[in-house]
Amino acid sequence: MDIFLLEAIINGILLGGVLALLALGLNLIFGVIDVVWICYAELVMCGMYMIFWLHGFFGWPILIASFAAILGVAGLGVLLHLLVISPILGSAPINQLLATGGMLFFLQSLATLLFGTDFRNIGLRLPIIEFGDIFISYSRLLAFGAALIGAVALYLFLSRTYLGIAMRAIAQDREVMGLMGVDQRRIYLITSAVGGALAGLAACLLVLQYDVHPFIGLSFGPITFMICVLGGLGNMIGGFVAAFVMSQIIAIGGYYFSIEISYVLAFVFFIVLMFIRPQGLLAR
Amino acid sequence: MMHEANRRIAPLILAAFGLAVVPFVTSDYVLHIAIQILLWGFVYTAWSLMGKFGLVSLGHGAFLGIGAYVSPLLWNYAGLTPWLGIPIGVLMAVLLALIIGYPCFRLRVIGHYFALVTLALSQVALLTIVAARDITGGSLGMTPRAVGHSWYALQFPEKPYFYAIALVVWVFGIGVWHFVDLGTGRAALDAIAEDEGAAAAIGINVMREKLRVTVASAALTAFGGALLSQYFMYVNPDTLSGIGVSLQIVFAAIAGGMYSAFGPTAGGLFTIALPEILRISMGTNFVGAANTIYGALLVIFIIFMPRGIIGLVERRLAAAPARI
C-alpha cells in the first residue's frame, strides 16, 4: 500500500479520537438534558484561550494549566445551563437550539473583543515520531490516547457510580425518576459540568495541535454535530463509531483531493446517510 | 368587509409613499443602510415562510450562496446578463431544495434532525465555493465585472436606483408572505406543524404542502442573494453562505417575529441598524463589542421574547382594549 495513504489513514484514526471525545460530551448533554449545545465548540475555544493565557502568558506548568482549563470550562458549562438553558427548559426544542446558537455568536464576539483576531500559539512543540517511513506527530498520539482514556472514564462513571446511573436513568424516563427521588435539577447541573469538562479536555488536546483564534470553533463544530446525529443523537457508542468513520472520510478524501473537498464529501455522506438511516448508524 | 379591507390597506399605502420619498430626503449613507435592511428583510421574510410552520432550516445559507454566486459567475465567464443569470441561479436553488426537501419530508426528518441536515447543506455550499477557488476566488471572494451604469448588467452605482429595486422586491416578498398566509395551504401547514401524523390522517397532503413552501422559500432566498451580490458588487463565501449566515437569517427572523408579515423586516432593521449604531457610538476601538452586545441580545430575545419584537408589539396592542 502507498505509504502516504497509510499515513493519512493513521492520522485519520488519531483525529477520530479527538472528534469522538467532542461527540461524547455533546451526546451526554443531549441524552440527559435533551438540548443540543450549538456553542459546544466555542466552549472548547474558551478552554484553549484559558490554557494559552495560563501557560503561554502567566507561565503556569502545562499540566496545571490544563487541569485549570478543564475545571474552568466545566464551570462555563454550569453557567450556560443556569443562565441560558434552565429558563427555557420547557419551551420548544428549536428555541433551545437557537439560544445556544446565540451563545455561539456571543462567545465568538467576546473572544474577538478580549483577544483580537490574532492566531495564538502556546509555543509548545512536541516531537514527531518516525515509524519506518511514517511520520506521526506526538501531540496527535497524545490526543488520541487521552481521548480514549476520557471515553473509558466516562463509561465507568456512567455505569459504576450512583450519579452516572441516575443520569442514564433520567435520559430514559424523566417523570418517573423524579418520583424515585432523583433531583433532576442537580443531575442536570452535574451533567452540564461533566459535558463542559469533556470540552475542556478536548481543548487541552487541541491546543497542542492548532493555533487558537476566536473562530476556531467553526472549523470543528459543524463536523461534531454531524457525527452526533450520524451516530444517533444521544447514542454514545454510535457517536464513537461515527467519529472514526467521518475522520477516515476526511483523511482519505484529503489525501486524494483537497481538505475542503474532503469535508464536502463528509457532509454529503452525512446527508445521504440521514436519508438511508434516519435514526443513526447503529439504529436497529 | 370592503371597509375593513380599506382600513387595512390605507396605512400600507401611506407607508409605501413614505418609503418611496426616502431617497429624495436622505444621504447616500442612510440609503445604503436602508437598501441592506430591505434586501436582508426580503431574505428573512423568505426564511420565515418555512420557519413559522415549524420547518426550521439552517440551510438557507446554501440557497443564498447559490443565488449570489451563479449570476456573477455566468456574467464574468460567459458574459451572460443577470436577467438570465439570476433566474438560472434561482432555478438551481429550487432544484437543490427539492433534492434535499423531498427525502427529508418523505422520511419525516423533522425537528433537530431537519435543522442539522440543513446545517450540513449550508456547510457543503460554503466549502464547495471555497474549494472551487480557481473560479470563485475562494475565501477572498470575487467581484462581478463592473461596467458602470447599465440595465443590461443590472449594475447601478447610484444608490437611489438600487433603493427602488430593493423596495419593489421587498414589497413583493411581503406580498408572497400574505399570499401564503391567506391561502388555503396555511391551515394545512398549521395543522402539519401541530401534528404531522394527524394532519396526514385527515387527508392533508403533507408532502406537497411542505415542498411548496420550501420551494417558495428557497427561490426567494436565492433571488435575495443575487440582488445582494449585484448591489455590493462583491461576493464572499463567509458573508453569503455557510453556517454563520444561516444562523444570522434565523436569528433576525426570530428576533423580529416570524409570525407577522413585518416581523422579519423588523429583524433586519434590528440586526443591521443596531451593529451600525453600536459601531458609530463605540468607534472601532472595540472590535467585537458591537457583536458581543448583539449576541447577548439575541440570547435574551430567544429566552424572553420567543415571538419577537413585532410579536410583543402586537400582543401589547391586542391587550390594550381589554384593559379599558
Side-chain angles (χ1 to χ4, degrees):
Chain A
M1 190 156 62
D2 186 351
I3 198 80
F4 295 108
L5 180 61
L6 189 65
E7 191 175 299
I9 290 172
I10 291 173
N11 275 324
I13 293 172
L14 298 183
L15 172 70
V18 180
L19 289 178
L21 189 67
L22 285 167
L24 270 183
L26 208 56
N27 266 331
L28 179 74
I29 304 285
F30 180 83
V32 177
I33 312 181
D34 203 20
V35 294
V36 178
W37 283 4
I38 290 284
C39 58
Y40 196 70
E42 274 59 37
L43 292 182
V44 178
M45 181 262 295
C46 294
M48 290 171 77
Y49 268 114
M50 284 179 202
I51 298 168
F52 170 78
W53 284 107
L54 292 178
H55 174 74
F57 192 77
F58 293 109
W60 291 22
I62 185 76
L63 276 179
I64 296 177
S66 299
F67 194 67
I70 292 174
L71 284 182
V73 182
L76 283 181
V78 171
L79 270 182
L80 178 69
H81 183 79
L82 283 178
L83 296 179
V84 179
I85 301 296
S86 70
I88 50 172
L89 259 183
S91 61
I94 215 69
N95 279 10
Q96 299 165 349
L97 195 100
L98 293 172
T100 58
M103 284 307 291
L104 178 154
F105 235 64
F106 175 74
L107 290 174
Q108 261 180 16
S109 323
L110 190 65
T112 312
L113 178 66
L114 295 178
F115 313 123
T117 48
D118 305 339
F119 283 51
R120 290 167 195 272
N121 191 286
I122 59 165
L124 190 73
R125 279 279 162 260
L126 294 172
I128 293 195
I129 298 168
E130 209 178 325
F131 194 79
D133 284 336
I134 299 170
F135 294 91
I136 298 168
S137 89
Y138 189 70
S139 53
R140 286 197 167 187
L141 208 59
L142 188 72
F144 180 74
L148 280 193
I149 292 171
V152 171
L154 181 69
Y155 174 78
L156 289 177
F157 172 68
L158 287 179
S159 59
R160 298 288 162 83
T161 64
Y162 172 77
L163 267 178
I165 292 169
M167 275 156 79
R168 285 193 302 142
I170 259 195
Q172 282 182 1
D173 196 329
R174 256 155 253 284
E175 280 95 55
V176 169
M177 282 317 288
L179 299 177
M180 297 291 187
V182 173
D183 183 356
Q184 193 170 335
R185 268 181 49 88
R186 191 165 145 258
I187 295 290
Y188 282 2
L189 281 179
I190 293 167
T191 308
S192 302
V194 174
L198 287 171
L201 179 59
C204 302
L205 305 173
L206 286 167
V207 83
L208 297 173
Q209 301 174 40
Y210 301 100
D211 293 347
V212 53
H213 56 95
F215 302 100
I216 189 156
L218 287 183
S219 54
F220 48 78
I223 195 85
T224 309
F225 300 126
M226 303 307 126
I227 287 169
C228 287
V229 177
L230 205 56
L233 262 176
N235 181 342
M236 302 210 192
I237 299 169
F240 206 78
V241 174
F244 287 97
V245 173
M246 286 299 241
S247 65
Q248 276 313 313
I249 294 177
I250 292 169
I252 296 175
Y255 169 76
Y256 281 111
F257 308 104
S258 72
I259 194 72
E260 289 96 7
I261 297 283
S262 72
Y263 272 90
V264 169
L265 286 178
F267 285 126
V268 169
F269 172 77
F270 163 75
I271 293 175
V272 170
L273 222 82
M274 276 308 292
F275 295 146
I276 302 170
R277 299 188 75 88
Q279 298 308 315
L281 272 180
L282 300 185
R284 271 166 226 120
Chain B
M1 204 57 195
M2 202 56 216
H3 181 68
E4 187 65 23
N6 279 340
R7 253 183 41 195
R8 277 187 67 176
I9 287 169
L12 288 181
I13 292 173
L14 265 179
F17 181 75
L19 286 170
V21 298
V22 165
F24 302 104
V25 295
T26 55
S27 64
D28 268 6
Y29 171 70
V30 174
L31 220 47
H32 174 63
I33 302 293
I35 293 169
Q36 289 183 59
I37 292 173
L38 287 173
L39 287 180
W40 279 112
F42 174 72
V43 171
Y44 301 155
T45 308
W47 181 87
S48 74
L49 287 180
M50 283 173 76
K52 68 176 177 156
F53 297 117
L55 293 167
V56 176
S57 154
L58 295 180
H60 271 51
F63 305 134
L64 196 75
I66 290 175
Y69 268 87
V70 167
S71 164
L73 282 174
L74 288 172
W75 170 247
N76 279 9
Y77 292 101
L80 193 69
T81 164
W83 291 96
L84 290 173
I86 292 176
I88 292 173
V90 169
L91 271 181
M92 285 174 68
V94 166
L95 202 65
L96 184 68
L98 286 174
I99 291 173
I100 288 296
Y102 183 80
C104 268
F105 302 148
R106 171 110 296 171
L107 298 165
R108 294 233 184 139
V109 176
I110 52 175
H112 279 122
Y113 286 84
F114 185 73
L116 289 169
V117 168
T118 49
L119 181 96
L121 179 69
S122 65
Q123 215 52 17
V124 167
L126 171 72
L127 290 165
T128 310
I129 292 169
V130 175
R133 57 174 63 83
D134 291 340
I135 59 165
T136 61
S139 304
L140 297 175
M142 67 178 276
T143 320
R145 188 163 46 80
V147 292
H149 180 99
S150 158
W151 277 100
Y152 179 71
L154 213 62
Q155 293 177 4
F156 307 107
E158 312 89 343
K159 299 219 180 290
Y161 273 91
F162 236 99
Y163 178 79
I165 293 173
L167 190 60
V168 169
V169 166
W170 175 75
V171 169
F172 169 67
I174 298 290
V176 172
W177 195 96
H178 270 293
F179 179 75
V180 172
D181 197 50
L182 298 174
T184 50
R186 190 240 162 103
L189 284 164
D190 271 339
I192 293 168
E194 201 73 33
D195 186 337
E196 208 173 306
I202 58 169
I204 292 171
N205 190 336
V206 173
M207 183 77 181
R208 198 186 63 195
E209 298 297 339
K210 277 188 171 179
L211 270 184
R212 263 190 5 201
V213 75
T214 304
V215 162
S217 180
L220 293 187
T221 305
F223 186 43
L227 290 174
L228 281 167
S229 68
Q230 291 298 130
Y231 174 63
F232 284 108
M233 290 296 285
Y234 171 69
V235 283
N236 177 300
D238 293 315
T239 53
L240 288 170
S241 83
I243 172 177
V245 180
S246 297
L247 282 174
Q248 177 200 331
I249 295 174
V250 180
F251 286 141
I254 287 181
M258 62 177 168
Y259 299 100
S260 1
F262 297 104
T265 310
L269 190 73
F270 174 72
T271 53
I272 289 159
L274 179 79
E276 206 65 22
I277 293 167
L278 291 172
R279 189 172 62 84
I280 291 168
S281 58
M282 293 186 183
T284 44
N285 293 335
F286 297 103
V287 186
N291 278 330
T292 309
I293 295 174
Y294 173 58
L297 282 175
L298 280 178
V299 178
I300 292 169
F301 261 111
I302 289 162
I303 294 177
F304 295 107
M305 294 162 59
R307 293 185 78 85
I309 301 171
I310 297 284
L312 196 72
V313 171
E314 278 177 351
R315 193 136 37 117
R316 281 280 157 79
L317 290 180
R323 245 181 269 140
I324 298 166

